[in-house]
Structures are given as structure tokens and as C-alpha cells.
């Protein structure tokens, strides 16, 4: 056995219907878990549901059920969708289980006895809808900034956790560990928050106001605040406090995956709680960005909440897993669109990967009687292919450790792409025609070996397709050995089978998807996703959502009649030179709020400086690493004192919604036009 590896997802509110956001985090955790199992590590993968609090109580009452009955029924929706997506969790914790509440009560009691929990009175504007207090300046027109509903002045006695007592310890902890919170800009947010007074955390709610929670063991008039309860799931699920060894083996966790909106709770609250308990925090807390959908914030009112069941029905669960991991860098926000799905699926799964497998298996069947042939002496092209494979596998493993799943996937695509190019350049059909059996066998053997490598690397993302591919090659179950990269691991003389294409091309979007797209409200205003709340004190309000600016009515594509668009000659278009680029750095323009100044690698010896009016949509950190499309033959212009040497393509006209990007496998400088 290798090392212990413990990965967690947030526990999801049981009232929520599982959506693409929950799916994203959970698939990411599953990929990490499967990868570590492949490497021989002893893995514990935890997910679950968060089942206490006012909203659960209210919903249960509306349905005429007890909150427990309600949660018993609803948590199943998460289990069902995870089964559908082949999520290989080792444990699913529910906060209403006794194994959890017993630990929460034990921790509360210990902290109370040690003086880390104290009683004090608290006053503020309370919103029943948002279940929280707001300060005077948080209110908008005297109303709750989250729900827009009236608030009431409430003074009550409550219990507080001495969070401030551990603030210095937490700050030192972060300063000494550059990778404790990732991406780095989220770490900086946490450090920023710790520069201010983080205050103490109110951890109780009077039963008179909210009864659906875990009772404080030292005061039956109170239940514990839902976050204090929920965060402890990460240790209660391991049997914290018992001596069966699971906790001792797996804590501290290696990786806690969360969304950017719950960064404060998982760093300030959770970190200080652990210190108070005398425990260490996890090795890494990775806060991923959010998905927008078809260029808009995902919301019930717009009707664009993406149901993972719909995706699985339309595309199959494994392509869904794959595309979610490859379509967006984990840190920044990214957009999910069905056209984008189709493009990515066709380009990478059907073309690069599926095609390589189909070609290799097909040619082996046709010309070599379906038998794995012997190798022949290496040519320069063979050595280059072997080197590329070794490098890509090393990068795959390194990026997996950094949780940069889109880069991990890009390595599989790189190997498949190189394999397809190798087939084109070695032209096995010509070798067959010329009767060069030895070289024909050697070439096809190497391509079959690449398919084996692709099969193993694909296993964490598309487990059953990977197994299928390896089965067709006679290569057994996916296994990551030290010899993985060596292109001589298949059994000579073994029989291969061709089968149906692994990933059939998707010529059209499925009808259910077309119907779902038609039901989405058109964009009304430029969109921003929910901001991280880390810079605010605990229990403080979220920033009020920015007032939406009026739409710059962009007509839908279908509405643009050709005759209304002034036409240009091909020669005019041919003048435009477009190149793939990669943003190396980005910062706000010193003299203009709207502008961002970027250094962009467009394949030239020096990066170009490009200034773009995209600051309303992107934070500079989100742009770094993006694969963009640059117009490289525009005359330079000075924008507010900074010379811009080109332009980047973006969608949305005046209201930029998204940069036009290329897949990760396109090198900077690649000619687009
Ligand atoms: N119950 C708490 C977590 C407690 S953990 C001790 C909770 N639950 S949640 O169901 O509201 O959210 C769970 C996760 O979904 C969060 O990590 C959140 O970031 C994620 N997402 C919600 N909408 C999302 C997108 N549009 N895109 C990506 N992830 C999103 O918070």
C-alpha cells in the first residue's frame, strides 16, 4: 500500500437539487480519489449532505413532514446522481446521523470546558429569510441585502467561539505554507482577512427561534449554528474521538475541495476550530471557481440551472465527467455551454482519443490478424514519441498533485494527438502496401502501446471507457506501474478486438438539450457570479450584488439576417492575422478602471502587451494562463498611456461575457487565420 490519501467535498444542503456546481466539485474529488487508488494509495473519499438549519425545517413544514423525514427523502437525490456519475465515495455522511451529532456535542463540551466557548449578548438586524444578523450599513433600503425582505432588531444572548484567539496561529500557519489555500489569489484573500480583526464566532441559535439543530450539551435552550455543525463532518466521518484508527490514519486530510463562496468558513472558521481542538488543518484547501451557464449566472429564475441527470441522459455520464474537468481551469470561473460541450467532446474524446483507438485497433485487425505485433528497432520518430509520452505522463502526475485537472486532461489529449500525427507520418497503409511487415508491426505496436497509456490515464476521468479500451487491447485492468511510459508493455501475440467507436461523434446536439436551451431566458444584463466572501468578517453580510446595468441588446445570432450585415470581400478578411496566445500576466490599468494590461505570449521571442476593456468581467488573476485568440497585425494604439500591441477576441460586444479561448493543447503562436 502507498500512502493514505483523504479527500473531501463540501456536504451539500439537502434542500438543493443537485446541479452542475455540486457535480463539478464531486467529480473533481472522484478523479483525485481514483488517481490515488491507481497509484496504490490508501484512499478515503468523503462526501455527504448538510441537513440542519432553518431552511430545512421550513421546507419540511411546508411539505407536512418532520425535518428528519424530509432529509431522509431528499438526501437520496445526491446519492442517486453520484451513482449515475460513478462517484466512488468511501463514505457519505449526513449531519443528522448520531455518529456526527455525538462528535459535535463532544467538541462543543470540550471547548466550553476549556473556556473557548463563552456566553455573551448580541444585537443586530435579524433576517429570518437569510437566517442571520446584519449590521446597519449592510442593509439596503433598510431591508435584508440577501433576500430583500424586512429585518427586525433582535437582541439575544448567545454562545461564541473564541475564534480571534487563534487568528495569529492561523496567520502563521498560512504564511509558512504557500499551498495551504489554493489558488494563490484565494490564499491572499484569506491573508487579507486575517490582517483585520476576525472577531469571535456566534455558534448558537436559541431553540425558540430555530430548533432544527444539534443541542448544545451545556445548555438545552440552544442548538449549534449550522456551520459549526457542518464543518465537523470532516472529522466525525472518520470516527474522531474513537480509537478505531481511521481518524489517526486519514487526518489531516490531503485535499479539501470547496467552491470559492465557502472559503471563509473553511479557512477562518474551520482552521481556528481545528486549532482549538488541538488538531492540524488539511494539507490543502482548494477553492474552485464557479460555472456560469451559456454566459449567464446560473439561477432558478433564468431557468438555466444545469441538471446533471439531463447531461447524463443526453451525453452519457463519462463524457460529462470528462468535459467538466477539461472545459474550465479549476481556480477561475468558467462558462458551461452545450455548444462548448459538443466541441470539446468531438475534438478530444471523439477525434483525438477515440480516433487514435479506432485507427490502431482497426489497422491491427485488418493487416495483422488482430494480433499484438513485435516491436522493431527504434527510429528517431519512435524515440521522439516515447519521449513525448514520458514527459506528458510526468506532467499529468504533477498537475494532478496541483489539482489542475484541465492540465491533466490536456496531457491525455497531447499523447493522443501525438499518436495520430505519428500514424500520419509513418503511414502504415503505405508500409502494408509495400509489404514491410516488420516496420508495419513496429509502428502499430507503438500506437497500440499509446492507446494503453491513454487508457490508464483516462481511467480517473472515464473509468468504464478506460476499462473497455484496455480490455480491447488485452491489457487487463488499469494499473499505474513504473513501466507505464514504456512503449513495450502489451503482451506480444495477444488478441485485440475492435468494437464500436469508444466515443461516437456528436453531429448535432441531442433534442433534449435543444429544448433545454430554448427554455433559458435570454441574457438581460452583464453577469457576475457570486463573489467570494472572505474579505468580510464572519457572520457579516455578503456584498450586495452589483446593480445590473441595462442590456446592450445584442440580437440572438439567428435574428441577424445576412442582408442587414455589411458584407466584406474575402481579401479584406484575409488581411486579419489571428494567433493562439497565452496570457502570462495581467494587471489593472493604472489609469482606467475598465482596462486590463496583459502580457500575452503569441509565439514570438517577446510577449506582447495587450490592453483590453474586460475589467468588468474578469479579475486579472482569472486571466493568467487563459488560452486566448489574438489579432496580431493591428497597428499599435496607445490606450490611456499604455501601448497595446494587438487585440484579444471576446464574446459579448460592449458587455464582455467571455474571452474567446482555445483548447489547452494549442501552442501559443499557432496560426488561426
Ligand atoms: N452546506 C454548505 C457546505 C458545508 S461544507 C462543511 C454548502 N452547500 S451548497 O449545497 O450550497 O454548496 C455546495 C457547493 O456547491 C459549494 O462548494 C459551492 O461553491 C458549489 N456551487 C454552487 N453553485 C456553483 C456554481 N454555479 N458553480 C460551481 N460550484 C458552485 O455551501
Amino acid at each position: 500500500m502507498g500512502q493514505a490519501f483523504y479527500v473531501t467535498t463540501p456536504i451539500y444542503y439537502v434542500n438543493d437539487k443537485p446541479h452542475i456546481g455540486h457535480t463539478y466539485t464531486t467529480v473533481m474529488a472522484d478523479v483525485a480519489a481514483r488517481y490515488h487508488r491507481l497509484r496504490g494509495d490508501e484512499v478515503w473519499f468523503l462526501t455527504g449532505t448538510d441537513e440542519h438549519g432553518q431552511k430545512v425545517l421550513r421546507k419540511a413544514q411546508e411539505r407536512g413532514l418532520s425535518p428528519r423525514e424530509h432529509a431522509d427523502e431528499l438526501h437520496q437525490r445526491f446519492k442517486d446522481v453520484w451513482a449515475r456519475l460513478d462517484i466512488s465515495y468511501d463514505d457519505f455522511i449526513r449531519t443528522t446521523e448520531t455518529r456526527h451529532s455525538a462528535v459535535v456535542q463532544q467538541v462543543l463540551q470540550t471547548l466550553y470546558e476549556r473556556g473557548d466557548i463563552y456566553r455573551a449578548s448580541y444585537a443586530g438586524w435579524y433576517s429570518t429569510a437569510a437566517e442571520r444578523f446584519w449590521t446597519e450599513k449592510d442593509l439596503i433600503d433598510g431591508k435584508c441585502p440577501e433576500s430583500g425582505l424586512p429585518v427586525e432588531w433582535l437582541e439575544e444572548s448567545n454562545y461564541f467561539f473564541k475564534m480571534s484567539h487563534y487568528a495569529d496561529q492561523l496567520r502563521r500557519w498560512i504564511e509558512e505554507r504557500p499551498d495551504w489555500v489554493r489558488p494563490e489569489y484565494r490564499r491572499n484573500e484569506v491573508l487579507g482577512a486575517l490582517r483585520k480583526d476576525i472577531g469571535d464566532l456566534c455558534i448558537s441559535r436559541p431553540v425558540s427561534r430555530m430548533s432544527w439543530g444539534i443541542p448544545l450539551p451545556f445548555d438545552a435552550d440552544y442548538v449549534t449554528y449550522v456551520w459549526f455543525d457542518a464543518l465537523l463532518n470532516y472529522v466525525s466521518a472518520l470516527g474522531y474521538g474513537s480509537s478505531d484508527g481511521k481518524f489517526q490514519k486519514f487526518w489531516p486530510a490531503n485535499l479539501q475541495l470547496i467552491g470559492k463562496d465557502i472559503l471563509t468558513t473553511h479557512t477562518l472558521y474551520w482552521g481556528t476550530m481545528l486549532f482549538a481542538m488541538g488538531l492540524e488543518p488539511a494539507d490543502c484547501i482548494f477553492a474552485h471557481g464557479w460555472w456560469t451557464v451559456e454566459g449567464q449566472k446560473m439561477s432558478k429564475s433564468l431557468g438555466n440551472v444545469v441538471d446533471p441527470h439531463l447531461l447524463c441522459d443526453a451525453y452519457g455520464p463519462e463524457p460529462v465527467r470528462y468535459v467538466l474537468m477539461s472545459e474550465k481551469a479549476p481556480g477561475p470561473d468558467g462558462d458551461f455551454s452545450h455548444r462548448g460541450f459538443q466541441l470539446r467532446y468531438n475534438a478530444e474524446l471523439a477525434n483525438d482519443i477515440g480516433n487514435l483507438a479506432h485507427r490502431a485497433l482497426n489497422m491491427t485487425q485488418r493487416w495483422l490478424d488482430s494480433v499484438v505485433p513485435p516491436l522493431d528497432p527504434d527510429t528517431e520518430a519512435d524515440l521522439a514519441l516515447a519521449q513525448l509520452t514520458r514527459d506528458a505522463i510526468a506532467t499529468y502526475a504533477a498537475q494532478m498533485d496541483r489539482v489542475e485537472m484541465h492540465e491533466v486532461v490536456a496531457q491525455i489529449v497531447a499523447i493522443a494527438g501525438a499518436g495520430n500525427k505519428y500514424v500520419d507520418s509513418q503511414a502504415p497503409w503505405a508500409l502494408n502496401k509495400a509489404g514491410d511487415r516488420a516496420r508495419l508491426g513496429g509502428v502499430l505496436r507503438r500506437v497500440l502501446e499509446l492507446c494503453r497509456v491513454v487508457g490508464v490515464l483516462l481511467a480517473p476521468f472515464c473509468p468504464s471507457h478506460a476499462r473497455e479500451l484496455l480490455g480491447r487491447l488485452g491489457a487487463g485492468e488499469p494499473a499505474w506501474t513504473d513501466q507505464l511510459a514504456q512503449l513495450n508493455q502489451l503482451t506480444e501475440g495477444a488478441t485485440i478486438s475492435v468494437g464500436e467507436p469508444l466515443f461516437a461523434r456528436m453531429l448535432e446536439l441531442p433534442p433534449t438539450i435543444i429544448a433545454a436551451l430554448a427554455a433559458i431566458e435570454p441574457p438581460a444584463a452583464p453577469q457576475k457570479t457570486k463573489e467570494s466572501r472572505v474579505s468580510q468578517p464572519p457572520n457579516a453580510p455578503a456584498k450586495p450584488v452589483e446593480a445590473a446595468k441595462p442590456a446592450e441588446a445584442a440580437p440572438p445570432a439567428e435574428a441577424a439576417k445576412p442582408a442587414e450585415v455589411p458584407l466584406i470581400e474575402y481579401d479584406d478578411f484575409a488581411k486579419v492575422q489571428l494567433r493562439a496566445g497565452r496570457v502570462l500576466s495581467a494587471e489593472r490599468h493604472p489609469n482606467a478602471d475598465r482596462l486590463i494590461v496583459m502580457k500575452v505570449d503569441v509565439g514570438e521571442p517577446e510577449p506582447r502587451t495587450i490592453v483590453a476593456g474586460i475589467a468588468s468581467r474578469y479579475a486579472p488573476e482569472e486571466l493568467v494562463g487563459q488560452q486566448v485568440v489574438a489579432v496580431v497585425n493591428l497597428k499599435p494604439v496607445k490606450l490611456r498611456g499604455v501601448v497595446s500591441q494587438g487585440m484579444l477576441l471576446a464574446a459579448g460586444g460592449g458587455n464582455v461575457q467571455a474571452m474567446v479561448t482555445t483548447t489547452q493543447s494549442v501552442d501559443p503562436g499557432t496560426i488561426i487565420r
Side-chain angles (χ1 to χ4, degrees), residues 10 23 26 32 43 67 78 112 118 127 198 203 212 247 265 288 305 390 411 457 480 484 517 546 552 585 647 657:
T23 307
T26 311
V43 171
F78 284 93
Y112 182 63
Y118 64 92
S127 156
I198 63 169
I203 53 125
W212 183 233
F247 178 79
T265 49
H288 66 72
V305 177
R390 277 196 296 278
Q411 305 314 311
L457 300 185
W480 187 300
L484 173 64
L517 280 172
E546 266 190 15
E552 250 176 48
S585 67
M647 196 179 127
Q657 291 174 20

Side-chain angles (χ1 to χ4, degrees), residues 419-466:
N420 279 313
K421 277 193 197 136
Y422 176 81
V423 172
D424 295 342
S425 71
Q426 300 303 307
W429 41 90
L431 297 169
N432 178 54
K433 215 167 179 185
D436 188 349
R437 305 284 300 165
R439 183 62 188 154
L440 172 66
V443 166
L444 289 186
R445 172 66 183 272
R446 289 180 183 84
V447 185
L448 290 169
E449 295 281 353
L450 280 193
C451 291
R452 173 185 56 78
V453 173
V454 165
V456 175
L457 300 185
L458 199 58
F461 298 89
C462 303
S464 68
H465 283 82

Side-chain angles (χ1 to χ4, degrees), residues 397-555:
Q399 296 292 1
M400 192 65 98
D401 287 343
R402 312 262 320 144
V403 210
E404 296 289 356
M405 298 306 182
H406 67 307
E407 294 287 2
V408 177
V409 170
Q411 305 314 311
I412 313 178
V413 175
I415 293 177
N420 279 313
K421 277 193 197 136
Y422 176 81
V423 172
D424 295 342
S425 71
Q426 300 303 307
W429 41 90
L431 297 169
N432 178 54
K433 215 167 179 185
D436 188 349
R437 305 284 300 165
R439 183 62 188 154
L440 172 66
V443 166
L444 289 186
R445 172 66 183 272
R446 289 180 183 84
V447 185
L448 290 169
E449 295 281 353
L450 280 193
C451 291
R452 173 185 56 78
V453 173
V454 165
V456 175
L457 300 185
L458 199 58
F461 298 89
C462 303
S464 68
H465 283 82
R467 221 172 290 125
E468 172 66 28
L469 174 57
L470 292 171
R472 290 182 194 182
L473 295 164
E477 285 294 301
W480 187 300
T481 65
D482 290 344
Q483 289 77 39
L484 173 64
Q486 289 176 23
L487 300 183
N488 62 358
Q489 295 296 297
L490 290 170
T491 315
E492 208 172 297
T495 308
I496 60 98
S497 59
V498 180
E500 292 295 306
L502 276 181
F503 300 100
R505 269 188 82 78
M506 197 195 311
L507 298 175
E508 311 237 354
L509 284 175
T512 48
I513 297 296
I514 309 260
L517 280 172
I520 297 178
E521 289 283 318
Q527 295 296 328
K528 276 200 156 192
T529 54
K530 199 162 141 194
E531 295 294 337
S532 163
R533 296 182 188 174
V534 75
S535 53
Q536 295 155 30
N539 271 355
K543 275 186 207 134
V545 179
E546 266 190 15
K549 300 188 195 99
E552 250 176 48

Side-chain angles (χ1 to χ4, degrees), residues 10-13 16 19 21-22 50 227 230-231 233-234 258-262 266 288-291 298:
I11 47 171
Y12 304 112
Y13 288 130
D16 279 1
H19 58 57
H22 309 116
D50 193 350
W227 272 103
L231 287 162
N233 90 87
Y234 302 127
I258 58 167
K260 65 177 184 180
D261 56 315
I262 51 177
H266 281 80
H288 66 72
W290 272 34
W291 288 98
M298 188 164 73

